[in-house]
Amino acid sequence: IANAMRKQKSILTLKDFKIPGLLECDELYLFSHNRIYFAGKNGTGKTTFIKTVMGVLKNYEGELTLNDQAKIGYFSQEHELLRPNESLIDNFIRLTPVKSGVEARKILGAYLFPGDTVFGNTKYLSEGEKARLIFAILITQKNDFLLLDEPTNHLDLQSREVIETALKEYEGGFLVVSHDRYFINTIGINKIIEIRDK
């Protein structure tokens, strides 16, 4: 247990944190072993919070400290990570440590992109296919922690199973926003944080 504790990284610290008009938090500590379901009704600020943590939005008060030694991956609903005019394999190689085409094709095959489909243009992918490609990238990046904003939207059953398996096998932590109860119940959640009454 001592060894496991030493490996845990601090990811995020909040103190006297406030997004004006939306939410506030006296104190919060996230670590790399936390697998968090981030709950709350629509409109309570879950996506705004994640975008603020990632530095996309900057309208907050108080202390927000990210560990700059921790690698954090981000799955957004807009999929900005991907360049639409690049092929799947080019996006994958650009964003991961994998530089071998053979190795990249092997990994992408496990995410249901067989054979020459990896050379297709990313802009023609469905939303579910984009989600699978982003998960292949995030997991291969060996991030310490993932911020996942509605990752199962638009997914067919087979795609969802691939992503569930990837998260179950993933060794880092994550914070996930999802309204899919079955998905939440299968990915090893060990903490729930809920936004209620701001």
Side-chain angles (χ1 to χ4, degrees):
I1 291 173
N3 284 341
M5 289 297 285
R6 274 200 292 273
K7 287 180 187 171
Q8 292 169 10
K9 286 185 183 177
S10 169
I11 300 294
L12 172 70
T13 301
L14 300 180
K15 289 183 178 174
D16 300 320
F17 175 81
K18 180 188 292 187
I19 299 176
L22 203 56
L23 61 88
E24 46 194 79
C25 172
D26 292 338
E27 206 169 45
L28 181 68
Y29 303 92
L30 299 189
F31 296 91
S32 58
H33 66 286
N34 294 146
R35 298 168 77 91
I36 301 160
Y37 171 39
F38 191 32
K41 292 178 181 173
N42 285 336
T44 53
K46 301 183 298 294
T47 295
T48 302
F49 174 76
I50 289 174
K51 287 185 172 181
T52 302
V53 170
M54 292 305 298
V56 178
L57 300 176
K58 302 185 186 299
N59 181 30
Y60 72 90
E61 300 168 9
E63 181 184 327
L64 184 161
T65 307
L66 272 179
N67 178 359
D68 58 11
Q69 301 300 308
K71 287 185 66 182
I72 299 175
Y74 174 38
F75 182 104
S76 78
Q77 295 183 47
E78 291 83 22
H79 307 319
E80 316 82 334
L81 201 62
L82 303 176
R83 289 180 183 166
N85 291 316
E86 284 186 357
S87 68
L88 282 69
I89 196 166
D90 285 346
N91 268 297
F92 182 84
I93 287 173
R94 174 174 58 84
L95 292 164
T96 70
V98 174
K99 299 307 168 205
S100 153
V102 173
E103 180 66 15
R105 291 181 74 174
K106 181 178 167 188
I107 294 168
L108 288 168
Y111 284 84
L112 307 181
F113 296 111
D116 289 345
T117 60
V118 301
F119 300 113
N121 197 308
T122 303
K123 70 182 170 190
Y124 298 120
L125 295 179
S126 70
E127 291 299 308
E129 288 168 333
K130 287 177 188 171
R132 272 192 273 123
L133 176 56
I134 289 170
F135 260 86
I137 290 165
L138 292 177
I139 299 296
T140 306
Q141 286 174 337
K142 299 196 180 328
N143 289 296
D144 298 300
F145 199 82
L146 302 176
L147 293 169
L148 308 171
D149 193 5
E150 300 280 8
T152 59
N153 279 4
H154 314 294
L155 290 195
D156 58 82
L157 183 61
Q158 196 176 18
S159 296
R160 197 171 75 172
E161 287 174 352
V162 168
I163 287 173
E164 286 168 4
T165 300
L167 278 179
K168 281 189 274 193
E169 294 176 354
Y170 170 62
E171 293 180 1
F174 55 77
L175 179 146
V176 59
V177 174
S178 177
H179 296 287
D180 184 336
R181 296 300 305 198
Y182 179 81
F183 175 72
I184 290 299
N185 290 336
T186 59
I187 55 174
I189 296 294
N190 60 26
K191 183 186 279 288
I192 297 173
I193 296 174
E194 183 174 10
I195 301 178
R196 192 188 297 165
D197 302 325
K198 299 189 180 182

